[in-house]
Amino acid sequence: MLARDELENETAMPVDPCHQRRVSRRSCLRQGGKLLALAVAPGLVVAGSTGCGSKLRFAREQPKAIQVGILHSLTGTMAISETSLCDAELMAIEEINAAGGILGLRIEPVVADGRSRFVEVFPRQARRLLAEEKVAVVFGCWTSASRRAVLPVFEELNGLLFYPVQYEGNESSRNIVYTGAVPNQQILPAIDWLLSETGGKRQRFYLLGSDYVFPHTANFVIRKHLQAHGLEPTFERYVPLGDQNFQQVVAHIRELGPDIVISTINGSSNLGLYAELAKQGITAAQIPVLATSVGEDELRSLSPDQVEGHLAAWTYFQSIDSPANREFVGRFKREFGQDCVTDDPIE
């Protein structure tokens, strides 16, 4: 069948029967060098008179649903953050379907588990969603490592990814919609607050991150921002993503005694970090931690006495007091339970 724009542009236009560029697609619709009537409305029967006096009818096949891919880590170190994000996307699809769907069609989610394996599993699942499942769009990833790993697949197959988490910037692709904040929107306002009178006029910053692209780039931006204020970080350190052993890290923090720890630790590693801080007796009153990747959802897995007084910087919090947010949070809790929370990527 012809695409809608091809039909609209060329309906009833005289066609040279010797014009081989069109023969393969239209030879059955030509008679005496003329293109007979074509219907262009979706789903309408297309009829043409042939030279032998018979009639051919072609019905434009309509899809029964729009398939949408969801690609997150439902297992592994990032499941602590991504599982609820998958829940939120499924809830949104249910709400859209209840309101009539898209163009009268239901949305069917196709869920894939990236398993917190960014280089091996995420690209393979992205290719399956696009090439085999034929999804119209994918909502997915959390870490910049997973996003960068799937980017070549989306560009090769001309797919579309909606990426829902803050990221480091320095990347732009026509195949990705970046919906999260970049450092100048999330992290630098927090640094400026810490440098201010209200934020305690902090001078000695310890930069601690998971060892992948976002923390490295975010800390580069922080370092340049501090240098503009005549400051240098006290120390900059990275740990493997998923690592739980923070004994030496916390001992080093305790030894240096910074005014603040800026944490770009991601995933379940946060459990080990805050537990070790409490174990070594470091409270928020002594050395607070400002986290850029710990929101309400991650806090559900952390002990309140371990995180009390520490800080977080996001562009959204569940506690925002507005009619729209109260209604949104209420829907989420009714769907998944009163103990469940929203957070920045979910919003």
Side-chain angles (χ1 to χ4, degrees):
M1 290 301 298
L2 301 177
R4 178 191 293 265
D5 58 348
E6 292 177 283
L7 290 169
E8 290 174 338
N9 290 337
E10 302 192 27
T11 296
M13 187 179 78
V15 178
D16 182 350
C18 297
H19 201 328
Q20 296 301 311
R21 183 170 57 88
R22 296 174 183 169
V23 167
S24 61
R25 302 188 66 180
R26 299 186 176 185
S27 58
C28 65
L29 294 177
R30 296 191 192 126
Q31 183 184 26
K34 295 182 179 179
L35 184 65
L36 302 183
L38 296 174
V40 296
L44 205 61
V45 171
V46 177
S49 175
T50 66
C52 57
S54 64
K55 291 183 180 291
L56 297 179
R57 291 179 177 270
F58 304 88
R60 176 171 295 187
E61 186 177 338
Q62 287 293 325
K64 296 182 175 63
I66 298 173
Q67 289 192 309
V68 167
I70 293 177
L71 176 57
H72 289 298
S73 293
L74 307 180
T75 53
T77 185
M78 292 309 303
I80 185 176
S81 299
E82 295 190 62
T83 301
S84 293
L85 191 51
C86 178
D87 289 340
E89 288 157 351
L90 291 172
M91 185 183 82
I93 288 173
E94 290 176 1
E95 291 178 348
I96 292 169
N97 285 338
I102 298 292
L103 301 176
L105 300 176
R106 289 180 55 79
I107 300 175
E108 286 185 357
V110 182
V111 180
D113 183 8
R115 296 163 54 192
S116 302
R117 294 170 60 182
F118 312 126
V119 176
E120 308 96 337
V121 178
F122 266 89
R124 185 168 71 242
Q125 292 284 31
R127 185 172 295 277
R128 181 179 68 83
L129 289 172
L130 293 173
E132 299 177 22
E133 301 292 347
K134 306 294 185 182
V135 298
V137 64
V138 176
F139 291 82
C141 301
W142 179 289
T143 65
S144 291
S146 61
R147 188 196 70 247
R148 287 196 171 190
V150 302
L151 175 57
V153 179
F154 279 88
E155 291 186 336
E156 174 193 342
L157 300 177
N158 198 27
L160 184 63
L161 170 68
F162 277 80
Y163 180 70
V165 188
Q166 99 273 46
Y167 82 115
E168 67 280 357
N170 296 326
E171 177 184 296
S172 179
S173 170
R174 66 185 296 272
N175 295 90
I176 297 182
V177 178
Y178 306 83
T179 67
V182 286
N184 63 295
Q185 297 168 318
Q186 179 200 9
I187 298 176
L188 295 191
I191 300 298
D192 287 339
W193 180 81
L194 291 168
L195 293 171
S196 72
E197 190 78 36
T198 306
K201 298 186 71 172
R202 317 281 178 171
Q203 299 289 299
R204 305 182 70 244
F205 289 71
Y206 193 109
L207 307 184
L208 177 63
S210 297
D211 193 9
Y212 73 100
V213 59
F214 170 74
H216 279 278
T217 309
N219 284 335
F220 172 81
V221 173
I222 293 170
R223 192 165 61 249
K224 292 297 183 181
H225 195 65
L226 291 176
Q227 289 170 355
H229 289 270
L231 300 173
E232 288 285 347
T234 301
F235 202 79
E236 185 173 340
R237 186 168 189 159
Y238 298 92
V239 299
L241 192 63
D243 195 4
Q244 294 289 320
N245 186 356
F246 282 84
Q247 183 176 356
Q248 292 183 353
V249 173
V250 172
H252 190 232
I253 292 172
R254 186 174 185 175
E255 177 186 348
L256 293 184
D259 297 331
I260 186 78
V261 175
I262 306 297
S263 172
T264 47
I265 296 290
N266 257 273
S268 61
S269 294
N270 283 293
L271 302 176
L273 171 62
Y274 287 99
E276 189 62 36
L277 286 167
K279 183 178 179 180
Q280 296 195 28
I282 298 179
T283 66
Q286 297 168 327
I287 304 175
V289 174
L290 184 141
T292 65
S293 299
V294 173
E296 293 89 335
D297 201 31
E298 290 78 15
L299 285 173
R300 295 174 60 215
S301 302
L302 296 168
S303 175
D305 61 339
Q306 293 177 358
V307 296
E308 183 178 2
H310 290 293
L311 306 169
W314 287 96
T315 56
Y316 166 90
F317 286 105
Q318 178 178 286
S319 57
I320 291 174
D321 189 16
S322 71
N325 188 53
R326 289 194 298 269
E327 198 272 336
F328 168 60
V329 172
R331 293 200 320 272
F332 193 82
K333 288 180 175 290
R334 286 192 296 273
E335 181 72 20
F336 300 110
Q338 292 303 307
D339 291 336
C340 290
V341 294
T342 59
D343 63 17
D344 183 285
I346 286 174
E347 182 270 337

